[in-house]
Amino acid sequence: MALLEINDLTVYYGHVHALKGISLTVEPGEIVALIGANGAGKSTTLRAISGLVRPQGEIVFDGRSINATPAHQIVQMGIGHVPEGRKVFATLTVDENLTLGAYSRGRDRTGIEESRERVFALFPRLAERRHQLAGTLSGGEQQMLAIGRALMVKPRLMLLDEPSLGLAPLLVQSIFQTIKEINAQGTTVLLVEQNARAALKLAHRAYVLETGRIALSGPANVLAEDPRVRRAYLGER
Ligand SMILES: Nc1ncnc2c1ncn2[C@@H]1O[C@H](COP(=O)(O)OP(=O)(O)OP(=O)(O)O)[C@@H](O)[C@H]1O
Ligand SMILES: [Mg+2]
């Protein structure tokens, strides 16, 4: 059974028809990439899964329909969301950001501290800066913190929205390596990226979104060889 199944998902923002009936699945253990141009509807797809926008159509997580489930319950069910543009709490420390990330776990102190140690093991730079205000971290460090904060919910499914945005090439590699590690440790990943090359290298499967519709889908290595993908998303002639 798919961990996530989306059927005929439609989202309007007022008169803007952002998603026009998309369907996709994410199997347990997979990294699935969602690529597409600016405004294609990638972030909207993730927001609909997290319950931040109300779609038409069907979203099933682990066998349960979550269309009408409030966002905070969706977090508790095990979906972590790293939003576009990081959105860490600038005036709180690294530690406080991580603690807030775990708020849905209530009093599970031991479990929460285990997760915190796991985040620090993945991102030693965060451990060194645990008492620093998040707003004073570099862009790359803020991205690490945003990922770390999502890991604090111990997600079964992690939604990542443009983790490579604005990062230097070396750091992009390192963030992608970490996503691979998070996946290898048992977290399923749905990754939104404009860096199609890096995303297709990392992912098992991918979907190409064009103005609210799925234009192409398949194994990531096959899509990376598709002439349409190469022209439109990999900058080749
Ligand atoms: N709150 C909103 N109100 C009105 N229109 C919106 C809103 N959010 C998104 N849209 C529109 O919906 C469409 C899809 O937006 P979305 O943010 O999902 O695109 P995206 O694929 O994530 O793009 P990008 O790569 O630039 O982040 C765009 O045309 C956008 O202008
Ligand atoms: Mg977006």
Side-chain angles (χ1 to χ4, degrees):
M1 186 179 70
L3 182 61
L4 178 76
E5 187 174 338
I6 291 178
N7 288 313
D8 202 16
L9 195 72
T10 293
V11 171
Y12 284 95
Y13 296 108
H15 294 295
V16 179
H17 198 175
L19 290 182
K20 301 167 183 167
I22 72 163
S23 298
L24 61 82
T25 59
V26 180
E27 301 294 329
E30 274 190 314
I31 300 178
V32 173
L34 189 57
I35 61 177
N38 290 118
K42 304 180 299 296
S43 297
T44 300
T45 305
L46 298 192
R47 281 190 224 122
I49 297 166
S50 287
L52 302 173
V53 298
R54 283 299 161 205
Q56 297 163 33
E58 192 182 38
I59 306 175
V60 179
F61 176 66
D62 198 21
R64 288 165 65 186
S65 168
I66 57 169
N67 298 38
T69 308
H72 71 274
Q73 273 177 30
I74 292 176
V75 173
Q76 281 174 339
M77 289 172 74
I79 299 184
H81 189 160
V82 182
E84 193 175 352
R86 291 140 205 171
K87 309 218 169 64
V88 295
F89 300 107
T91 59
L92 300 182
T93 65
V94 166
D95 254 340
E96 289 164 344
N97 268 274
L98 293 178
T99 303
L100 271 182
Y103 86 99
S104 67
R105 293 169 67 180
R107 286 164 207 269
D108 177 18
R109 286 254 173 88
T110 322
I112 291 171
E113 289 320 307
E114 271 170 27
S115 292
R116 191 191 307 274
E117 289 315 311
R118 178 174 170 226
V119 169
F120 286 152
L122 280 169
F123 299 112
R125 279 165 80 158
L126 290 183
E128 291 161 17
R129 291 165 175 77
R130 60 189 295 170
H131 302 302
Q132 192 173 325
L133 294 183
T136 66
L137 296 173
S138 76
E141 289 159 2
Q142 290 188 24
Q143 186 58 270
M144 295 173 197
L145 180 55
I147 296 173
R149 193 178 55 187
L151 283 173
M152 293 300 290
V153 309
K154 232 182 166 184
R156 278 187 293 159
L157 174 66
M158 183 118 156
L159 311 175
L160 286 156
D161 200 343
E162 312 248 12
S164 78
L165 195 71
L167 303 187
L170 218 56
L171 197 51
V172 172
Q173 267 183 40
S174 133
I175 290 277
F176 274 64
Q177 185 55 41
T178 306
I179 296 169
K180 199 172 181 172
E181 249 171 84
I182 290 168
N183 176 251
Q185 293 171 5
T187 305
T188 304
V189 173
L190 179 57
L191 169 70
V192 159
E193 260 299 334
Q194 283 207 44
N195 187 338
R197 190 179 304 275
L200 290 176
K201 236 183 229 157
L202 180 71
H204 303 106
R205 285 188 308 117
Y207 293 84
V208 178
L209 202 54
E210 279 175 7
T211 55
R213 287 199 174 85
I214 303 284
L216 290 165
S217 64
N221 58 345
V222 174
L223 282 184
E225 296 303 322
D226 186 293
R228 288 165 293 181
V229 172
R230 294 176 75 115
R231 255 197 321 273
Y233 302 104
L234 301 177
E236 292 175 19
R237 282 161 190 275

